Amino acid sequence: MDEIKKTTDTENSEYLIEVNDLVKWFPIKAGFFKRTVNNVQAVNGISFKIKRGSTMGLVGESGCGKSTTGRTLLRLQSKTSGEVIFDGIDIFSLSKEELRKIRPRIQIIFQDPYSSLSPRLPVGEIIGEAVREHNIVPPEEYDDYITRVMEVCGLPPYYKSRYPHEFSGGQRQRICIARALALSPEFIVCDEPVSALDVSIQAQIINLLRDLQKQFGLTYLFISHDLSVVEHISDTVGVMYLGNMVEFAETEKIFSKPLHPYTEALFSAIPIPDPDYKMNRVILEGSIPSPANPPSGCKFHTRCSKCMEICKHFQPDFTEVEPEHFCACHLYNSDERNAELKAQMPAPER
């Protein structure tokens, strides 16, 4: 790795991942010549950092850009603009050969354990294929190494010769985890790894991920719809809405005191296992706008009960409202900032 130039000094850096103004748009093409007529703004200028050995949860409604963010971080798809720094290395500045060298260090666990495993390969080959390709261990140690990885993930060695269709959903997800772990990664994107599993199996997989993190010092980006799971596993949480990050803070802080109206509505839907507890639900009116034609100003203003006139014209800044608690909402602007924006607003029509 010495020949790959680092963009920052990482010897004293506590952050493994740094994302700066990441943008990912998908072009919409039409006509005989397939010209680009519009763009789906899947991810639209988000920034965050993940500390080494910690877990960042990423939540939001379907279509908000969570999975696109995770895949773009690993350069599984190209960026439109922005910067992704992994351990001081700008991922998108690497050549194909340089990227291949760091691939083992950045892995992903996919949402669907059924479609993410090849039905033609036995489990031992699925886990070991990339190990052999990247020369993780010498050939004479290969078989014992795969056995050790499987045992760490709760898979008996005799599963090596079996095929994916012979396993349950939970066992398949363990195979997916073992496949990622076999490359000795430092950073893993967990793209809704438990959403397709039964509740009892979800707990087992979550506990496995936590144990592996403690044992190997892994860093996770945990993408999920299940807020109770995110609260359980995450150290920090980012909330996305229509391609934008609207709030980011430590888990305890954001769950005890959400600032953004969207975060409040999202967290109010978490079920409480107490029949005598009366939930104070925040019901959002309307549906999420199209990412190909987002509303002007704050993208959430069309569904927000606290919407002000300024929200319809200007996108809010993503600012640090409290120490280590960031929010993008005009409710938390300073008086000077609000006065500056109001001065730029168009005069009301008569």
Side-chain angles (χ1 to χ4, degrees), residues 50-119:
I50 307 178
K51 291 182 179 180
R52 299 172 186 271
S54 70
T55 301
M56 173 186 163
L58 193 59
V59 301
E61 293 174 289
S62 294
C64 71
K66 304 187 302 297
S67 294
T68 300
T69 298
R71 290 168 183 262
T72 307
L73 291 191
L74 303 185
R75 201 171 151 179
L76 296 180
Q77 53 196 25
S78 62
K79 66 171 183 176
T80 301
S81 65
E83 194 177 48
V84 177
I85 306 297
F86 166 73
D87 195 23
I89 303 166
D90 185 350
I91 292 288
F92 286 95
S93 70
L94 301 179
S95 65
K96 289 185 178 180
E97 184 60 31
E98 291 172 334
L99 180 62
R100 186 180 184 278
K101 290 180 181 179
I102 71 164
R103 272 290 178 211
R105 302 173 65 192
I106 50 176
Q107 292 295 304
I108 185 170
I109 301 168
F110 293 100
Q111 175 179 358
D112 187 1
Y114 295 88
S115 62
S116 59
L117 298 176
S118 172

Side-chain angles (χ1 to χ4, degrees), residues 130-198:
V131 173
R132 189 184 293 112
E133 179 69 22
H134 289 279
N135 299 315
I136 301 298
V137 294
E140 62 272 14
E141 299 177 16
Y142 171 81
D143 194 60
D144 289 339
Y145 179 76
I146 299 304
T147 298
R148 292 199 303 271
V149 171
M150 292 179 65
E151 288 177 342
V152 166
C153 295
L155 298 167
Y158 61 84
Y159 280 1
K160 283 183 186 177
S161 58
R162 296 187 179 181
Y163 289 82
H165 72 270
E166 301 178 61
F167 297 95
S168 66
Q171 290 171 323
R172 291 189 194 194
Q173 198 59 287
R174 287 178 183 270
I175 295 169
C176 294
I177 294 172
R179 178 176 59 183
L181 187 67
L183 294 172
S184 299
E186 297 169 42
F187 174 59
I188 300 179
V189 173
C190 304
D191 188 5
E192 303 193 43
V194 297
S195 63
L197 307 177
D198 294 337

